[in-house]
Amino acid sequence: MKEKKKLKLKKFYFHPITVFLLLTIFVIILSAILSGLQMQGTYSEINTQTYKLNSTLVTVNNMLSFDGMKYIFSNALRDFLSFAPLGMLIITLIGVSVATATGFLDTFCKRKLSKIDKRVLTFIVLFLATISSLINEVGYVLLIPLAAMIYQYNNRHPFLGIITAFCGVSFGYGVSLFVGSLDVNLIPYTTSAARLIDDLTHISLTSNLFIIIAFSFLLPLIGTIVIEKIIAPRIGKMKEKEETAKTEELQIIDEEELEQMKIEKEKREKRGLKFAYITGIVIILLFIYMLIPNLPMSGMLLDMNEDTYLGQLFGSNSYFQDGFTYMMSLLFCGMGLAYGIGAKTIKNDKELIQGCKETFLPMGEMLILLFVVSQFISVFKQTNIGTVIGCLLANLLGSLNFTGIPLIIFTIIIIGIANLFITTPTAKWEIFSPVVVPAFMQSNLSPQFAQFILRVGTSITAGITPLLAGFAIYIGYLNIYNQDKKKPISIRESIGYVIPYFGVIAFTWIFLTVCWYLIGLPLGPGVLPSL
């Protein structure tokens, strides 16, 4: 027994920051080995002018070489500053900090959200997280911190809120209530690949509209059951030591005085919420006006160089997408300040700023994590290891002579495996579309259905790969709310939390997709799974 105790004392845990640093070193060494072994892959690139295939060779870059190390040192700062979650998270937290410091979020959650059934609240979080992919990766930086706070305000473990939001964004990626940036980016590849078989093929932006709307409701519905029945019992309840300590500190005062204070507080809170709602409506209406073209001073958030409205809204240079996080931050700031004025919780600017500062106190650890993760992802991409693996998987898929349901299932699985190494949908589709789309069309399956299959494969494994940029936000917030600082939440443990969700939702994705094909339901207006 004594020996066992000694072994337990010697046990230690690596912080995720250390693990990502070690993974970066491992990738650098691995790139040198694979480069020495001349590991390479080829994929077919489509000439958009002639619609002919050109073979592209991809080799592993040696990051231990002179040029490799030069790249690492010279691009470290640039990679960190251009790391999407960094700026988006900081801007989001500015708005959240104002809403928290003035007491708006606390009051709103206690007076409105606490009355909602916990399963309904979980469904709402999952639903919003799922459709958030309409606008890039805003779900990770906006919904994860908000869900943690909302669940904590409702006396549930903040871990559960973090996991719920992360699962919704990751495992529901690519489905929404309307077409978004993903469709805009994928269609050129789908169209080019389809014209290898039929040069008259046209892929519309709404070709997957019906099926993504249906999945926007079906996935959160199944996900709610998984969260509440499997994950929530494992996470347990939040420790309430702080709350009990606060109640013990209350002084005994006159009941009549206490009642009067309570009435006065409720009156101020109601007035503050009224101010906040009016301000929120005004700000939202202003944002909507900025999205309407051809009106005086309107269309500010549209890229008017695009021909179509969807292109103006969701194109590669869309001001709406680039500015959405900032708009949400302004919304929270405006509603928070309005509440503070109405409820008289703001005494002066110094007190407000001091209150905002508390939201940023845990961010030191998060910033270090984001820096290390940004280097890890950048180095891995530069090695081309993921691209080579993607090429090999695409060639494997092209060698399989499957049709119908076996083709659908194997394509989903192979794209899902590729997504562990290539998390960007457009980068994957550039490699896979010349293989998948013709194979589907030759099997009497529509190219639009092939494009939807990419969404499926991407979504089922998005939440279990550390190469996903949003994974850093997820594991970072788990450690911020982790009460045992001596035992940080590891990468393995954080993935372990979502494994039940991954298993059920992966099966759900595949099962519903196959059923949709068998029944022959339309994917979008005038588009069927079969040709």
Side-chain angles (χ1 to χ4, degrees):
M1 292 294 291
K2 290 182 179 179
E3 291 182 0
K4 288 184 178 179
K5 287 183 179 179
K6 287 181 180 179
L7 288 174
K8 286 184 180 179
L9 289 173
K10 290 180 180 179
K11 194 172 182 179
F12 65 96
Y13 304 90
F14 279 121
H15 194 282
I17 293 174
T18 307
V19 175
F20 275 110
L21 185 61
L22 293 174
L23 283 174
T24 306
I25 296 171
F26 171 75
V27 167
I28 293 171
I29 296 172
L30 181 63
S31 70
I33 296 171
L34 296 179
S35 178
L37 296 173
Q38 297 184 341
M39 183 178 178
Q40 59 187 27
T42 58
Y43 70 95
S44 298
E45 190 175 7
I46 304 173
N47 187 318
T48 55
Q49 302 298 323
T50 63
Y51 296 109
K52 291 184 179 180
L53 295 175
N54 299 320
S55 182
T56 301
L57 176 68
V58 181
T59 60
V60 175
N61 292 326
N62 180 7
M63 301 305 289
L64 267 180
S65 65
F66 176 82
D67 290 336
M69 297 306 294
K70 182 179 178 181
Y71 172 87
I72 293 172
F73 289 117
S74 61
N75 287 276
L77 179 61
R78 187 181 308 163
D79 292 334
F80 179 52
L81 295 178
S82 61
F83 193 51
L86 174 64
M88 293 173 71
L89 180 64
I90 293 173
I91 291 173
T92 299
L93 289 179
I94 292 172
V96 172
S97 67
V98 172
T100 304
T102 59
F104 168 66
L105 277 180
D106 186 30
T107 303
F108 179 77
C109 290
K110 287 180 178 178
R111 296 180 70 92
K112 303 298 179 182
L113 298 184
S114 61
K115 300 176 183 178
I116 301 176
D117 183 86
K118 63 180 182 180
R119 288 163 293 189
V120 175
L121 181 60
T122 296
F123 175 82
I124 292 172
V125 172
L126 282 173
F127 177 73
L128 292 175
T130 299
I131 66 173
S132 68
S133 61
L134 179 69
I135 308 167
N136 292 328
E137 298 178 350
V138 69
Y140 293 113
V141 297
L142 183 62
L143 290 176
I144 287 179
L146 279 178
M149 296 174 67
I150 290 170
Y151 274 63
Q152 190 173 37
Y153 281 134
N154 284 272
N155 295 318
R156 304 195 77 185
H157 205 300
F159 273 25
L160 192 61
I162 295 167
I163 293 166
T164 301
F166 178 72
C167 286
V169 180
S170 301
F171 297 110
Y173 186 82
V175 298
S176 188
L177 298 178
F178 198 62
V179 296
S181 57
L182 183 61
D183 299 271
V184 174
N185 294 329
L186 293 181
I187 282 176
Y189 296 104
T190 309
T191 303
S192 298
R195 288 181 180 176
L196 294 172
I197 305 296
D198 181 2
D199 57 6
L200 298 177
T201 300
H202 171 71
I203 312 293
S204 68
L205 279 170
T206 58
S207 60
N208 285 167
L209 182 60
F210 295 163
I211 194 168
I212 64 174
I213 290 176
F215 274 64
S216 295
F217 292 96
L218 292 171
L219 292 177
L221 189 64
I222 301 298
T224 300
I225 298 172
V226 179
I227 293 291
E228 295 296 338
K229 297 295 184 181
I230 302 175
I231 298 178
R234 292 185 180 185
I235 298 298
K237 294 183 178 180
M238 181 181 63
K239 293 181 180 179
E240 299 182 354
K241 291 180 180 178
E242 293 182 4
E243 292 297 324
T244 54
K246 288 178 183 177
T247 56
E248 289 173 1
E249 292 175 3
L250 290 174
Q251 296 179 354
I252 299 174
I253 56 177
D254 188 272
E255 288 186 9
E256 188 176 339
E257 185 181 348
L258 182 64
E259 187 66 25
Q260 187 63 35
M261 289 172 61
K262 185 178 179 181
I263 293 171
E264 184 63 29
K265 183 182 178 183
E266 286 185 358
K267 185 179 178 181
R268 290 199 308 269
E269 287 179 349
K270 286 180 180 179
R271 188 165 180 263
L273 287 175
K274 183 180 178 181
F275 278 37
Y277 294 155
I278 293 172
T279 303
I281 292 170
V282 171
I283 293 174
I284 290 171
L285 289 175
L286 286 174
F287 288 157
I288 293 173
Y289 188 77
M290 294 178 187
L291 299 175
I292 302 173
N294 304 322
L295 290 177
M297 296 296 290
S298 70
M300 190 183 300
L301 298 177
L302 299 175
D303 180 11
M304 302 310 294
N305 293 321
E306 294 285 341
D307 297 328
T308 64
Y309 181 73
L310 286 176
Q312 294 169 359
L313 197 61
F314 297 110
S316 56
N317 296 315
S318 164
Y319 298 104
F320 170 66
Q321 289 202 109
D322 293 339
F324 185 82
T325 306
Y326 183 61
M327 292 190 303
M328 289 298 99
S329 182
L330 287 178
L331 178 64
F332 279 105
C333 282
M335 294 182 74
L337 289 171
Y339 174 84
I341 294 170
K344 297 181 180 179
T345 57
I346 299 176
K347 295 181 180 179
N348 52 60
D349 61 329
K350 295 180 285 296
E351 190 175 286
L352 175 64
I353 294 170
Q354 185 67 28
C356 293
K357 191 170 70 173
E358 293 179 8
T359 305
F360 286 88
L361 289 178
M363 285 300 108
E365 181 181 318
M366 177 71 83
L367 289 175
I368 299 172
L369 176 64
L370 291 178
F371 173 75
V372 175
V373 172
S374 69
Q375 305 310 301
F376 168 63
I377 293 176
S378 174
V379 168
F380 185 83
K381 285 182 178 179
Q382 187 64 20
T383 64
N384 282 337
I385 293 174
T387 307
V388 170
I389 293 173
C391 293
L392 297 175
L393 289 170
N395 293 331
L396 172 63
L397 183 60
S399 66
L400 300 175
N401 295 317
F402 291 131
T403 58
I405 294 175
L407 176 61
I408 294 170
I409 294 175
F410 272 93
T411 302
I412 291 172
I413 292 172
I414 288 177
I415 291 177
I417 295 171
N419 187 64
L420 296 173
F421 307 97
I422 311 172
T423 57
T424 308
T426 50
K428 279 196 301 293
W429 202 224
E430 183 180 2
I431 296 171
F432 278 92
S433 60
V435 175
V436 174
V437 174
F440 269 55
M441 294 179 72
Q442 290 169 351
S443 299
N444 201 37
L445 298 170
S446 66
Q448 294 90 338
F449 190 43
Q451 181 173 290
F452 178 74
I453 293 301
L454 174 76
R455 298 176 190 263
V456 181
T458 299
S459 295
I460 61 175
T461 58
I464 58 172
T465 171
L467 286 165
L468 181 74
F471 187 85
I473 304 294
Y474 165 59
I475 196 171
Y477 268 99
L478 284 177
N479 279 289
I480 285 174
Y481 284 94
N482 179 29
Q483 294 179 341
D484 187 2
K485 298 303 180 183
K486 293 182 180 179
K487 185 181 179 296
I489 305 300
S490 65
I491 294 176
R492 182 185 62 80
E493 192 174 359
S494 60
I495 293 177
Y497 285 141
V498 303
I499 285 296
Y501 198 97
F502 156 69
V504 175
I505 292 298
F507 174 80
T508 301
W509 266 111
I510 296 172
F511 177 75
L512 291 178
T513 302
V514 170
C515 288
W516 202 282
Y517 161 69
L518 290 174
I519 297 171
L521 295 172
L523 303 173
V527 180
L528 297 172
S530 301
L531 290 173

